[in-house]
Amino acid sequence: MSREIQEKLVSDALHFHEFPRPGKLAIVATKPLANTRDLALAYSPGVAAPCEEIAADPMAAYRYTSKGNLVAVVSNGTAVLGLGNIGALASKPVMEGKAVLFKKFAGIDSIDIEVNEQDPKRFIEIVAPLEPSFGGINLEDIKAPECFEIEEALRERMNIPVFHDDQHGTAIIVAAAVINAMKLAGKDIATAKIVTSGAGAAAIACLNMLIAVGAQRENIWIADSKGLVTTKRGNAVDRWRGAFAQDTDKTELAEVMADADIYVGLSAAGALKPEMMKGMAPNPLILALSNPVPEIMPELAKQVRPDALVCTGRSDYPNQVNNVLCFPFLFRGALDCGATIINEEMKAAAAHAIAKLAHEPGLEATTHGVPAIFGPDYLIPNPFDQRLILRIAPAVAKAAMESGVATRPIADFDAYRDRLRRFVFRSGMVMKPMIERAQSAGKRIAFADGEDERVLRAAQVILEDRIGKPILIGRPSVIESRLERFGLTIRLGQDFEVINPEDDPRYRDYVEEFHALVGRKGVTPDTARTIVRTNTTVIGALAVRRGEADALICGLQGRFIKHARDIHSVIGVAPDASQLSALSMLILDRGVFFLADTYANIDPSEDELVSITLQARNHLKRFSIEAKAALLSYSNFGSRDGDTSQKMRAVYDKLKLAAPDLVVDGEMQGDLAVNAGLRERYIPDSVLKGEANLLIFPNLEAANLSMTLLKELNNGLHIGPILMGTAQPAHILAPTVTSRGIVNMAAIAATEAVG
């Protein structure tokens, strides 16, 4: 890394930590404190009720307090990252960062506690009494060998999970990499020779973990800064390293590298010399985990041994051994079943779950261009693979239950996995009714962008979850080669159908039908032939019109309005609609809101807005949501006159006549739509109670600006746009949509097709 880049990184990091407010953590209340009654429930006198329940039954704390989802990140700052013993206070940014990762990846609340005490016995006496406050303790950045003593004592004294992540988090991921490397190389871990440079906390934990998944102690060699750990060194070796001491006269790591299958480096940059690799066994696994510079750089290792499998701790190389692959999800499973300890069975379950996930094709590609296909450059999953929590947490909870350390066993693992899925994919809760309705209906969904990687990954999920039957529009040879490149298991002709724009037997029929539709709109037969060869949205729309597909998904390339025109020309408008319109769903921390019309009509008329509102109401019913509509304007119930305020008043009057049962009010400003207290000051008897969930805007400018601002300012998840008013189901994706977004839109389209 150049000096300029390093200086820029330092400057950016300091700015990141200082602004807009110092630090990375804040406390957020989970209950409202809006009035005197809230205060009476939250504090005196209401708080006495849960206190009495907990005094009578300590387990009630998990029902009435945050204990069951709260972890303490505890450190004394004696071994911080690559910085060494910098002290408790200087370690605080790291501990805050750890707490942020708990929240981001597993939804676990965490508080960092920096203890200014380096004597292990006194440190233990400070931490052990914290048990009533927390559901678990994550020990962090404590130097060896004190960390072993501290963890052992706290595990014995505390009846909640105590986990030193520097040891066991790394060990679990290393074990997963070893499991998969042995599988790939066709070797047996029980006979594998393992050599290790580094004998600190992480190294010892890695070796113990490898034994837990099948390695044999007699096949393990370990070296520290003084050379090989052997029985000849006597008192120079503590009991933790001594467990791996070999009875040999050899003194250096290089002397035992011959025929080694696995090298584990947790030491220092350059510790593994190229010449030491030459005599290793075929297809050796190199775990060079020193950071930021590994024991040997991957390109040098590959140059010396092209057959080597290489893992590092760096994010700019494949096979990154990163603790975030493990610790959030391990704690998630442990907390959710009320585990009193994180034992070897739970750690092994996590390792096997991580290893198994690498064999499954991912929903998204990896971050640095490496295909998510099990192989030399994909031994372990990407740290940002959203499925990690779905695999690790249930496996850990099940292992805790089977080993007898779970105090609150999970009765329904399907429901538990569903809960985790809703956390990972925030759309899970609101999309569930759609997906359940679509499942097993067998609706055929045509994808205009059938060669796109996101569509191919989505198609795999759509088939696995029985949401529908994909029809991919694209060249079969391209689709098949990309399926292989991305490690996807679905197969053309067996799992899905393809419409080939270059050579489809229906081409002549498609041209004739398309020309019959648009021939009197300036489209000649030759132009029609060209369009049907090149415009995949038109091809998909024709398939839907002819009954060869039940729904269309398009839009990854090109402008929304162009796709809308093609859909309008071929599929047409529904009998109860005068135009196409777009409904956007925003999932915010505050709740789910629907906005219309966010993409299609620049300045809809009163009658068009009435139609849009009623169509939106029908879509909300598909989500099992009752519409509560607010007609938005810059005025409140006649407070100002103007074109849009008068238009929205007229829309209200027409809606009351057209749909008397619809819960709707307006015109009103945005704050009144979501704040019932404010709204009641104007219209105390409004039929609209609580928050509106359907926001109808007077024009496209207001709707689109509001939608994009709300999404960005609130880290909202956008689902849509949902195209309304089509004669048959068709939707236009945003070009930035993810594979998960495509799956959601496919479920919506399939549900519409069900009726």
Side-chain angles (χ1 to χ4, degrees):
M1 185 181 294
S2 70
R3 179 188 295 271
E4 292 79 9
I5 294 175
Q6 178 64 27
E7 289 176 349
K8 180 69 163 56
L9 177 62
V10 169
S11 174
D12 289 349
L14 292 175
H15 187 277
F16 177 86
H17 281 78
E18 184 176 1
F19 300 101
R21 57 188 291 185
K24 298 190 286 282
L25 289 176
I27 301 296
V28 178
T30 62
K31 300 294 190 292
L33 287 172
N35 51 49
T36 303
R37 176 169 172 75
D38 289 344
L39 184 60
L41 293 173
Y43 201 55
S44 180
V47 74
C51 290
E52 290 172 343
E53 291 290 324
I54 295 167
D57 176 13
M59 292 300 291
Y62 291 95
R63 294 180 59 194
Y64 299 119
T65 77
S66 61
K67 178 179 172 69
N69 195 52
L70 188 61
V71 168
V73 178
V74 186
S75 179
N76 61 4
T78 53
V80 179
L81 297 176
L83 303 175
N85 187 351
I86 61 174
L89 181 59
S91 77
K92 187 172 178 63
V94 180
M95 303 314 126
E96 284 189 357
K98 195 81 171 191
V100 169
L101 296 178
F102 267 116
K103 187 67 173 180
K104 170 67 176 177
F105 287 97
I108 294 172
D109 294 318
S110 182
I111 295 175
D112 62 295
I113 300 177
E114 292 73 36
V115 179
N116 194 20
E117 180 54 71
Q118 297 195 14
D119 179 86
K121 290 183 170 53
R122 293 181 64 184
F123 185 91
I124 291 163
E125 293 304 321
I126 292 169
V127 176
L130 298 176
E131 181 176 339
S133 296
F134 298 98
I137 302 290
N138 184 99
L139 298 173
E140 192 77 16
D141 291 352
I142 303 170
K143 71 182 179 72
E146 289 90 335
C147 62
F148 301 123
E149 179 185 347
I150 288 169
E151 187 188 39
E152 284 179 5
L154 290 177
R155 280 164 58 101
E156 187 169 330
R157 287 182 56 174
M158 302 179 81
N159 204 36
I160 57 175
V162 177
F163 184 79
H164 187 206
D165 186 45
D166 300 317
Q167 293 182 55
H168 310 298
T170 301
I172 288 167
I173 303 156
V174 163
V178 169
I179 290 168
N180 278 342
M182 295 298 95
K183 188 170 294 187
L184 194 63
K187 299 179 181 181
D188 184 354
I189 191 173
T191 59
K193 180 179 180 180
I194 302 168
V195 292
T196 304
S197 65
I204 298 299
C206 285
L207 298 180
N208 285 325
M209 191 73 242
L210 291 178
I211 290 171
V213 296
Q216 300 301 306
R217 191 177 296 270
E218 59 267 24
N219 296 331
I220 296 174
W221 300 77
I222 185 171
D224 59 17
S225 59
K226 296 180 177 62
L228 274 183
V229 174
T230 70
T231 56
K232 305 289 193 298
R233 284 175 54 180
N235 293 336
V237 175
D238 60 46
R239 65 182 174 93
W240 295 281
R241 285 178 291 170
F244 296 96
Q246 293 274 16
D247 186 10
T248 179
D249 292 326
K250 295 174 181 178
T251 60
E252 300 296 331
L253 185 70
E255 297 179 71
V256 296
M257 287 293 293
D259 299 319
D261 298 285
I262 301 165
Y263 167 81
V264 181
L266 286 154
S267 52
L272 180 60
K273 308 301 181 188
E275 57 270 19
M276 296 165 65
M277 291 184 59
K278 292 180 179 178
M280 293 183 73
N283 306 114
L285 172 63
I286 307 298
L287 290 146
L289 305 181
S290 172
N291 250 333
V293 182
E295 284 78 4
I296 189 168
M297 293 301 292
E299 49 267 43
L300 179 56
K302 286 284 192 180
Q303 181 182 330
V304 177
R305 290 294 300 266
D307 61 336
L309 310 171
V310 184
C311 300
T312 72
R314 291 173 52 139
S315 61
D316 53 345
Y317 288 97
N319 295 325
Q320 183 193 11
V321 175
N322 187 328
N323 286 14
V324 80
L325 270 166
C326 171
F327 74 84
F329 320 120
L330 181 73
F331 266 98
R332 182 74 280 162
L335 292 174
D336 290 340
C337 69
T340 57
I341 192 173
I342 293 175
N343 58 25
E344 295 305 309
E345 292 87 346
M346 295 161 71
K347 289 185 281 186
H352 284 290
I354 293 169
K356 186 177 180 181
L357 180 57
H359 295 262
E360 301 179 28
L363 188 58
E364 306 292 347
T366 62
T367 54
H368 40 63
V370 176
I373 306 171
F374 177 65
D377 290 331
Y378 194 71
L379 291 173
I380 47 179
N382 186 296
F384 288 90
D385 192 316
Q386 293 178 302
R387 300 167 300 168
L388 284 163
I389 191 172
L390 306 179
R391 303 293 187 274
I392 298 173
V396 168
K398 188 168 289 186
M401 291 162 57
E402 291 173 352
S403 59
V405 299
T407 60
R408 301 189 307 279
I410 294 169
D412 186 341
F413 269 90
D414 287 337
Y416 179 54
R417 290 187 185 94
D418 187 54
R419 194 175 90 209
L420 294 174
R421 194 174 292 111
R422 292 199 299 270
F423 167 75
V424 177
F425 306 112
R426 286 190 291 164
S427 59
M429 177 68 80
V430 72
M431 285 300 304
K432 187 175 181 181
M434 287 283 190
I435 292 172
E436 288 179 346
R437 208 166 295 137
Q439 282 176 331
S440 303
K443 295 302 178 182
R444 301 158 300 169
I445 306 166
F447 290 90
D449 303 283
E451 297 176 2
D452 190 282
E453 177 183 353
R454 290 168 291 175
V455 169
L456 296 175
R457 293 185 184 279
Q460 175 101 24
V461 176
I462 289 165
L463 283 162
E464 289 174 353
D465 292 351
R466 299 176 290 108
I467 291 170
K469 297 179 179 178
I471 300 172
L472 305 185
I473 302 172
R475 295 161 293 178
S477 60
V478 173
I479 291 172
E480 287 185 315
S481 67
R482 290 182 179 177
L483 288 173
E484 184 176 355
R485 186 196 313 166
F486 303 140
L488 301 173
T489 58
I490 56 174
R491 293 292 172 259
L492 189 156
Q494 178 180 332
D495 300 309
F496 63 92
E497 179 187 343
V498 165
I499 298 176
N500 182 2
E502 294 181 344
D503 183 23
D504 193 281
R506 296 163 289 191
Y507 172 69
R508 191 181 301 276
D509 295 335
Y510 277 30
V511 171
E512 290 178 359
E513 184 145 359
F514 182 60
H515 187 258
L517 292 169
V518 299
R520 294 185 179 275
K521 297 178 182 177
V523 178
T524 66
D526 284 344
T527 303
R529 280 190 283 272
T530 300
I531 290 173
V532 175
R533 278 275 189 237
T534 59
N535 189 323
T536 55
T537 295
V538 168
I539 295 170
L542 287 166
V544 172
R545 180 182 177 87
R546 289 165 53 85
E548 295 163 358
D550 300 302
L552 167 66
I553 303 289
C554 63
L556 289 182
Q557 305 292 331
R559 294 181 301 136
F560 177 93
I561 195 63
K562 177 64 169 62
H563 292 289
R565 287 172 185 156
D566 290 337
I567 290 169
H568 190 286
S569 297
V570 178
I571 292 178
V573 176
D576 61 345
S578 58
Q579 79 295 318
L580 302 182
S581 59
L583 177 69
S584 287
M585 175 167 47
L586 278 183
I587 301 177
L588 310 176
D589 289 341
R590 181 167 178 160
V592 180
F593 298 88
F594 293 82
L595 294 72
D597 171 9
T598 50
Y599 279 86
N601 296 282
I602 294 175
D603 188 16
S605 68
E606 295 169 9
D607 290 336
E608 287 172 338
L609 282 171
V610 169
S611 175
I612 289 168
T613 304
L614 295 178
Q615 290 171 43
R617 174 196 62 180
N618 295 337
H619 270 282
L620 264 66
K621 287 181 180 177
R622 293 192 176 97
F623 288 97
S624 300
I625 296 173
E626 180 187 0
K628 296 193 292 182
L631 308 175
L632 301 185
S633 176
Y634 55 80
S635 66
N636 284 319
F637 306 103
S639 64
R640 290 186 64 182
D641 279 328
D643 291 343
T644 58
S645 59
Q646 290 173 1
K647 177 166 69 173
M648 300 311 276
R649 282 176 225 159
V651 172
Y652 172 75
D653 292 336
K654 292 184 176 185
L655 280 170
K656 296 308 290 182
L657 291 173
D661 59 334
L662 175 66
V663 177
V664 61
D665 212 336
E667 88 284 12
M668 69 180 76
Q669 295 176 353
D671 53 355
L672 268 67
V674 295
N675 189 321
L678 286 177
R679 187 170 60 248
E680 287 172 5
R681 297 178 192 175
Y682 284 83
I683 307 292
D685 59 347
S686 173
V687 297
L688 179 58
K689 305 298 182 185
E691 289 184 333
N693 56 19
L694 174 58
L695 308 178
I696 305 297
F697 292 84
N699 53 49
L700 179 61
E701 185 174 33
N704 191 269
L705 284 172
S706 297
M707 186 269 291
T708 52
L709 277 172
L710 283 170
K711 181 170 81 73
E712 289 303 314
L713 292 175
N714 295 279
N715 190 29
L717 176 65
H718 176 224
I719 295 179
I722 300 168
L723 194 62
M724 302 190 298
T726 55
Q728 294 168 278
H731 296 288
I732 305 167
L733 300 169
T736 56
V737 71
T738 64
S739 293
R740 173 56 55 177
I742 295 172
V743 172
N744 286 335
M745 291 308 300
I748 290 170
T751 302
E752 287 181 79
V754 170

